[in-house]
Amino acid sequence: MTEVAVRDEQDDKSGRERFAEFLRIYTSLNTRVAYATDLGIPLDWVPGYHAPEPGRRRGRARRIEPTGLEWLNWCVRNDFASFADVRVEHVERWLEELARAGYRDATRARMLSAVSAFYRKYLLREGLAEHNPAALVDRSAQHLNRAGATPSATAMWSFEACRALLLAAHLLAADNRSGLRDRAMIEVLIGTGVRAEELVGVNLADYHRPAPGGPAALRVHGKGAKDRRVALAAPVADAVEDYLAVRTDAPVPALRDQPGNRPPQPLLITGTGRRVHVSHVQAVLRRLCTTFAPAPDAPPPRSRWLRELLAGEQAALIATHLAPLRDTIHPHSARHSYATHAITRGAEPRQVQHDLGHAALSTTEGYLHDADGLAHSAAHELSPALHRGWLPAY
C-alpha cells in the first residue's frame, strides 16, 4: 500500500518519498510525528526524526508500535490498490472499527482529520485522488462533533491548585541548583498559558523587560511557525530575573576559520547548557505534586531541610490541592486553567484568545495592536491574584 497507492505512473517516486513530501508541509517535527503516527507512516520515514536513545526518558508515552488500525495499515488489510479507490463508506467503516476497538471519540476525530489533511493537502494537489472521502463523513453520526458548550476533556486546575503549584515551586527554589529555573518555568507556564513546547523553545533574546520591577514580554514561537508576544506580569518576570541572575552558559569552543552568527541561546537550559527538553516541564509538575503530596507508600525525604519544610502549615495546604493532581497532571492543563480563571476574573475573551495564540492575527493587527495587547493582557490581572498573600510584594 505504501508503495502502490501513492505512486503516479508518470514518475518514479516511491511511497516513502511521497509520504516525506506530505510531511514536509508541516514545519514542526512534533506535528510530523503526530500525523505519521495517526496515518501509520513508519517513524523512520519522517523527515528530521531521530529515534530517542534507549532508556532515555522522553515525557508522555507516545504510541510507537502500530496497532493495525491506522489508516494505511487498514487500507492494506482491506486490499485497496490506491487511495483514489477509497469512498466515504470505507472511511466510515474504518471509524466504526476504531470505535469497536475502544478508541475514544476525540482520538477518532483526530485520526480522521489526519486522513482528511493527507487528501486535501497532498493527494488532491498531486492528482493522486479525485475527491476527499474523509471530508464527506457525517461527523455527527459518528459522534465526532463536540457541542459548543461541552467542556474539553483536558483537566483544568482549580484556582487554589494553581496557587499551590506556584507556592510549591517558590518553596523548593532553593532546594537544588535547578530550583530557580524550574520555578521560572512554572511561573511562565501558569502565568501565560503558553504551550510546553513554546516554553522550552524560547530563546534568551526573546525575553524583554523594559524597566526593573515592571512587567516583561516574551516572544514565543507557536504552531505553524507563527510567533507572538505574551505578557509576563511582574511576579512572573521577577521569577525569570531570579533565574537569569544564576544562569550560566556552557562554554562554546570557537571554530577556526568559521566566523558567523552565534546560534540562538535558549532561555531555559540544563546543567550542560543544552535547551531543556519538553518532557522536563511535566517532570517538574509531577515532582512538585509527589514532593508535597507523596503516595502513601513513598519513603520519607532524606533531606532534613525538606522534612522540616513538609511539616509546616504551608506544605499541608499545598498537599490538599496537589494530591488530586499527582497521577494525572499535565502541562496542557495550564492553558485551560489560564483561560478559565482569566475570564472568570473579568478578562475579555478576545484578549485571552490573543494571549493563548488560538487564532492567527494579521500582520497589520500585530503592528498596530501588539503594544495594547501586552498592556491589557489578562496576565496582569491573573498573576498578581495568584501570588497575593504569600509573596510579599503582592
Side-chain angles (χ1 to χ4, degrees), residues 306-354:
L306 184 56
R307 290 198 301 271
E308 292 176 352
L309 173 66
L310 297 180
E313 293 183 4
Q314 285 184 317
L317 180 63
I318 293 172
T320 301
H321 298 291
L322 297 192
L325 308 179
R326 184 179 59 228
D327 299 326
T328 60
I329 195 165
H330 190 274
H332 198 69
S333 294
R335 289 174 63 76
H336 292 255
S337 304
Y338 179 91
T340 301
H341 299 315
I343 291 176
T344 300
R345 299 188 70 82
E348 290 291 334
R350 284 188 63 85
Q351 182 59 58
V352 175
Q353 184 180 19
H354 176 277

Side-chain angles (χ1 to χ4, degrees), residues 178-195:
S178 300
L180 290 174
R181 180 203 63 195
D182 293 344
R183 181 197 170 201
M185 288 173 50
I186 299 303
E187 289 279 357
V188 175
L189 187 73
I190 295 177
T192 66
V194 296
R195 300 176 179 89

Side-chain angles (χ1 to χ4, degrees), residues 141-307:
Q142 292 287 336
H143 307 290
L144 303 183
N145 273 349
R146 191 177 68 192
T150 303
S152 169
T154 302
M156 186 200 73
W157 304 330
S158 69
F159 188 81
E160 292 304 323
C162 292
R163 283 173 55 88
L165 286 167
L166 293 172
L167 179 55
H170 172 72
L171 294 176
L172 293 183
D175 185 36
N176 58 63
R177 62 181 182 179
S178 300
L180 290 174
R181 180 203 63 195
D182 293 344
R183 181 197 170 201
M185 288 173 50
I186 299 303
E187 289 279 357
V188 175
L189 187 73
I190 295 177
T192 66
V194 296
R195 300 176 179 89
E197 293 84 357
E198 295 172 341
L199 174 60
V200 300
V202 169
N203 296 319
L204 194 58
D206 295 326
Y207 173 75
H208 178 62
R209 194 177 198 182
L218 198 65
R219 182 173 298 279
V220 298
H221 313 288
K223 288 185 175 181
K226 296 171 183 174
D227 292 357
R228 72 182 187 280
R229 294 178 71 203
V230 297
L232 302 185
V236 181
D238 287 344
V240 174
E241 294 285 347
D242 290 343
Y243 161 61
L244 292 178
V246 300
R247 177 189 179 279
T248 55
D249 289 319
V252 179
L255 300 179
R256 182 180 298 177
D257 300 327
Q258 293 190 22
N261 295 328
R262 186 175 181 178
Q265 296 178 274
L267 175 67
L268 302 169
I269 58 175
T270 66
T272 59
R274 294 184 177 183
R275 187 181 298 275
V276 168
H277 190 266
V278 66
S279 64
H280 185 68
V281 181
Q282 183 166 2
V284 171
L285 290 170
R286 284 179 174 171
R287 180 164 58 83
L288 293 176
C289 291
T290 56
T291 298
F292 285 89
D297 56 347
R302 298 179 181 179
S303 167
R304 177 181 177 183
W305 172 85
L306 184 56
R307 290 198 301 271

